[in-house]
């Protein structure tokens, strides 16, 4: 996958195992501390945490809140730079973290998570896949170009840096001011993409992940199956061109629960090779890691102990930036919603993979993402007439649009009436109801097959169940067949489609990229 080091530099692919994503879990790790632990402290006790004005422009154009909920954007920045722009020590990045050199990577935001805290009930966290191809926005709020969502920060920072240099700004001031532009562009891009207001944000860089993992090690994680991700060396020719990209983290873990030190934790959250769904599975790893960190903090009594919390904050606060209007004490009343398993993590869906300008990207439908997010957050869903979805290639005449596909549901599970209930849930998502029947077999896991012309629908529905879709010549054209396996649990009617009062919809009824990751313990993932 092509990776950008900056708008004015040649596109060059660094070793896949060393590229973005190393800090993704850090943002949520510190967010747990921020929204649960920071609430114990006055602003004076948080001296050392950098404050930012990056929300100023975004607030001018933000949609209005309809309740007292709070949306926090968590940014994991893939930068090997300190806050003043100097490189992190080579021996730290290369030898300790095994994360390449300080020259690799730019200012990509490889973790973007919106944490929604409602007035009451379960908090929701949604991850935006880093390679989603979206309309970006500039630091001043004007419309930018189509880029990967992770690149909004870097392009805005580079543009600001050029103007600041011309004014004679340099050194740490140049770094800090240009980063403000990157933050502002990122916030506005996410705000426009999802059509929700961003009230606060927290940004963390590479070293922040390591600091918190080091302070808390060993950290428990759980895998559904054993993993072996050997390191493969990167090969270049005499001119530095990549002949064979490197990859791998060196991580080798058994199935079940393992206790990780800081270095292995870094490998756990950045592995994407030898995973069925690559980057998307890695996102679930990062979410599970954060759930495990929150669980350990609670089990050790850190969240309720001022002394322990202060010690931990002293370690990590140098690595975090938060907005200048985040009043921690006012926020304390919502902190209980974020502990004790009251957070659920989901990954927003993609429609398909594509190659644009030599880059592998995720194509998404912004209008669909807005509907999903508003339904998940319990917000009214309108026609969104101002929405301007990202352009997508016109499907071939033989390819049925996803919503027009007919879905047959067969019950191979032990849940009585599951096929009928699941068919209704899929219709609520926009698919056409097909045959509802009992399966001839009883598979261990739910399977999804598709006939001719229904490939997109098959893949979307498979993503909804967290499985892979396969083609089947036995199915009628335009049909998708879902066979519910032994792993299936009862479906839930989406909010607004039945007699239940409107409110946040259970994520099981929404099309997400794989199953949700739930806090409150040590969740197992692939």
């Amino acid at each position: 996958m092509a990776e950008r080091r900056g708008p004015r530099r040649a596109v060059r692919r660094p070793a896949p195992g060393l590229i973005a994503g190393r800090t993704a879990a850090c943002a949520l790790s510190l967010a747990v501390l921020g929204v649960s632990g920071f609430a114990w402290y006055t602003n004076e006790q948080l001296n050392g945490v950098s404050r930012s004005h990056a929300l100023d422009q975004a607030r001018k154009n933000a949609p209005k809140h309809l309740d007292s909920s709070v949306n926090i954007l968590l940014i994991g920045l893939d930068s090997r730079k300190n806050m003043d722009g100097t490189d992190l020590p080579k021996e730290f990045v290369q030898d300790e973290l095994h994360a390449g050199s300080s020259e690799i990577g730019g200012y990509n935001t490889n973790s973007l998570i919106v944490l929604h805290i409602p007035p009451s009930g379960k908090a929701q966290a949604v991850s935006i896949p880093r390679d989603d191809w979206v309309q970006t926005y500039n630091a001043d709020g004007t419309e930018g170009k189509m880029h990967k969502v992770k690149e909004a920060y870097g392009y805005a920072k580079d543009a600001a840096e050029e103007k600041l240099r011309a004014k004679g700004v340099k050194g740490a001031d140049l770094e800090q001011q240009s980063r403000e532009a990157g933050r502002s562009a990122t916030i506005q891009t996410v705000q426009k993409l999802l059509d929700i207001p961003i009230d606060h944000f927290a940004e963390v860089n590479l070293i922040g992940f390591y600091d918190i993992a080091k302070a808390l090690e060993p950290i428990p994680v759980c895998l559904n199956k054993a993993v072996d991700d050997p390191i493969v060396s990167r090969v270049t020719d005499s001119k530095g061109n990549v002949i064979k990209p490197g990859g791998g983290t060196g991580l080798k873990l058994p199935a079940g629960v393992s206790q990780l030190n800081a270095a292995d934790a870094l490998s756990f959250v950045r592995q994407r090779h030898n995973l069925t769904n690559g980057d998307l599975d890695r996102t679930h790893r990062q979410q599970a890691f954060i759930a495990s960190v929150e669980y350990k903090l609670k089990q050790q009594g850190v969240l309720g102990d001022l002394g322990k919390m202060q010690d931990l904050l002293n370690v990590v606060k140098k690595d975090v930036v938060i907005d200048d209007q985040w009043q921690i004490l006012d926020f304390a009343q919502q902190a209980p919603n974020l502990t004790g398993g009251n957070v659920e993590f989901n990954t927003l869906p993609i429609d398909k993979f594509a190659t644009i300008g030599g880059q592998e990207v995720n194509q998404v439908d912004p209008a669909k993402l807005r509907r999903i997010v508003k339904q998940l957050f319990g917000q009214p869903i309108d026609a969104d007439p101002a929405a301007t979805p990202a352009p997508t290639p016109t499907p071939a005449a033989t390819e049925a649009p996803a919503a027009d596909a007919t879905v047959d549901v067969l019950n191979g599970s032990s849940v009585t009436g599951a096929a009928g209930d699941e068919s209704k849930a899929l219709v609520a998502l926009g698919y056409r109801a097909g045959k509802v029947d009992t399966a001839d077999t009883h598979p261990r896991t739910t399977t999804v097959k598709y006939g001719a012309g229904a490939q997109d629908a098959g893949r979307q529905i498979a993503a909804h169940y967290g499985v892979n879709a396969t083609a089947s010549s036995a199915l009628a054209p335009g049909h998708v067949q879902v066979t519910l396996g032994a792993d299936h649990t009862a479906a839930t009617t989406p909010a607004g489609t039945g007699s239940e009062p409107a409110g946040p919809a259970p994520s099981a009824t929404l099309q997400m990229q794989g199953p949700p990751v739930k806090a409150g313990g040590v969740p197992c993932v692939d």
Side-chain angles (χ1 to χ4, degrees):
M1 185 178 298
E3 290 293 335
R4 183 183 66 79
R5 295 181 64 189
R8 296 182 299 280
R9 304 184 184 116
V11 174
R12 179 178 173 185
R13 177 177 178 165
L18 304 177
I19 61 175
R22 285 163 287 270
T23 64
C26 184
L28 267 178
S29 297
L30 291 173
V32 170
L33 295 177
V35 296
S36 300
F38 285 4
W40 295 100
Y41 298 95
T42 64
N43 291 335
E44 289 74 18
Q45 288 172 306
L46 283 173
N47 286 336
V49 176
S50 298
R51 294 281 187 165
S52 166
H53 300 284
L55 267 173
D56 290 354
Q57 182 64 43
R59 286 192 174 102
K60 296 178 182 179
N61 303 316
K64 300 295 183 183
H65 266 298
L66 300 180
D67 56 24
S68 58
S69 61
V70 175
N71 295 324
I72 303 169
L73 178 62
L74 309 170
I75 301 172
L77 186 64
D78 185 29
S79 169
R80 279 58 172 275
K81 305 284 186 181
N82 291 304
M83 293 294 187
D84 61 2
T86 58
D87 289 341
L88 294 176
K90 178 181 179 181
E91 60 272 15
F92 171 78
V93 176
Q94 186 170 322
D95 301 334
E96 183 73 11
L97 299 187
H98 307 291
S101 69
S102 294
E103 288 74 35
I104 293 177
Y107 289 87
N108 289 327
T109 53
N110 288 313
S111 177
L112 289 171
I113 302 118
V114 176
L115 180 64
H116 175 78
I117 306 172
S120 61
K122 185 184 293 292
Q124 298 285 346
V126 291
S127 295
I128 304 171
R130 63 183 187 139
D131 289 334
D132 283 5
W133 189 250
V134 304
Q135 174 67 64
T136 63
Y137 287 80
N138 301 315
D140 62 1
T142 58
E143 193 173 277
K145 296 181 179 180
M146 296 291 294
H147 289 298
K148 293 181 180 180
V149 67
K150 69 180 181 182
E151 295 178 325
Y153 194 115
Y155 277 108
K157 181 186 183 299
D158 282 356
E161 189 173 293
E162 186 173 349
K163 295 178 181 178
L164 290 166
R165 285 185 188 277
K167 295 179 180 179
V169 181
K170 56 186 178 181
D173 288 339
L174 177 65
E175 179 73 9
Q176 292 165 6
Q177 292 180 42
S178 59
R179 281 199 188 190
E180 283 288 82
R183 292 166 188 140
S184 179
T186 296
I187 293 165
Q188 292 179 81
T189 296
V190 171
Q191 191 168 259
K192 288 283 189 177
L193 174 65
L194 303 183
D195 191 33
I196 58 172
I198 299 299
D199 303 296
H200 301 294
F201 83 92
E203 173 195 297
V204 190
N205 61 9
L206 172 65
I207 197 171
F209 172 84
Y210 185 80
D211 283 345
I212 191 171
K214 193 69 177 175
L216 295 175
E217 64 181 6
I219 299 170
V221 299
C222 182
L223 289 173
N224 290 321
K225 54 188 176 183
V227 298
D228 187 0
D229 188 36
I231 296 175
V232 178
S233 299
R234 184 186 188 192
V235 180
T236 60
D237 61 20
S238 59
K239 296 181 179 179
N241 298 314
V242 177
I243 298 175
K244 182 180 179 182
T249 62
L251 185 68
K252 188 173 184 178
L253 292 176
V257 176
S258 296
Q259 300 288 335
L260 305 187
N261 59 25
D264 286 342
L266 187 68
S267 296
F268 178 82
V269 299
R270 72 183 176 90
Q271 182 187 352
R272 67 176 182 133
H273 294 278
N274 301 305
L275 294 176
T276 303
N277 297 302
D279 254 356
L280 301 173
D281 281 345
R282 178 168 62 176
T283 298
H284 299 145
R285 287 272 194 96
Q286 296 158 358
Q287 294 166 344
F289 180 82
I290 302 313
S292 295
V293 167
E294 189 270 343
Y295 179 72
K296 179 166 184 176
L297 289 173
K298 185 178 181 183
Q299 290 297 104
Q300 292 186 342
V302 175
L303 297 181
D305 188 307
L306 297 181
K308 291 180 180 179
M309 179 59 71
Q310 185 67 67
D311 290 342
L312 187 55
L313 289 174
N314 286 338
V315 172
V316 302
K317 67 184 181 183
K318 69 181 187 303
D319 305 316
V320 65
V321 177
I322 62 177
D323 65 272
D324 59 330
Q325 295 190 33
W326 198 339
Q327 300 299 319
I328 304 302
L329 292 182
D330 292 342
F331 192 62
Q333 61 182 339
Q334 286 146 327
N337 288 335
L338 302 173
T339 58
N342 286 325
V343 183
E344 184 175 86
F345 303 92
N346 279 284
T347 303
L348 292 177
I350 64 173
D351 285 350
K352 63 178 70 177
F353 299 109
T355 300
I356 299 178
Q359 296 188 86
E360 295 176 12
V361 306
N362 306 328
Q363 287 197 322
V364 297
D365 180 351
K368 180 170 70 176
L369 297 185
R370 294 178 188 122
R371 290 194 299 270
I372 289 173
V373 168
K374 288 184 178 181
Q375 188 174 352
L376 185 66
F377 291 179
Q379 305 295 317
I381 302 173
D382 52 36
D384 196 13
T388 53
T392 56
T394 301
T398 58
E399 183 71 16
D404 290 340
T406 298
V407 185
D408 303 320
V409 184
L410 306 180
N411 189 12
S413 75
S414 60
V415 180
T416 303
D421 292 341
E422 201 64 26
S423 179
K424 292 177 183 177
L426 289 167
V427 168
L429 293 176
Y431 299 101
R432 183 183 299 119
K435 180 174 67 173
V436 175
D437 205 345
T438 300
D440 294 330
T441 59
H442 299 280
R444 185 173 64 85
T445 60
T446 295
T447 62
V448 177
K449 298 179 181 180
Y450 59 86
Q455 181 180 29
D456 281 357
R459 289 179 175 176
Q460 290 177 10
I461 293 171
H464 173 72
Y465 293 103
V467 299
N468 294 320
T470 58
S472 173
S473 59
L475 294 181
H479 277 245
V480 175
Q481 183 185 84
V482 176
T483 303
L484 303 177
D487 62 339
H488 179 73
T489 56
T492 314
T493 304
T497 62
S499 58
E500 295 298 319
S507 59
T509 68
L510 300 175
Q511 180 192 339
M512 291 293 184
Q513 201 68 43
V517 174
K518 299 180 180 180
V522 181
C524 292
V525 291
D526 290 336

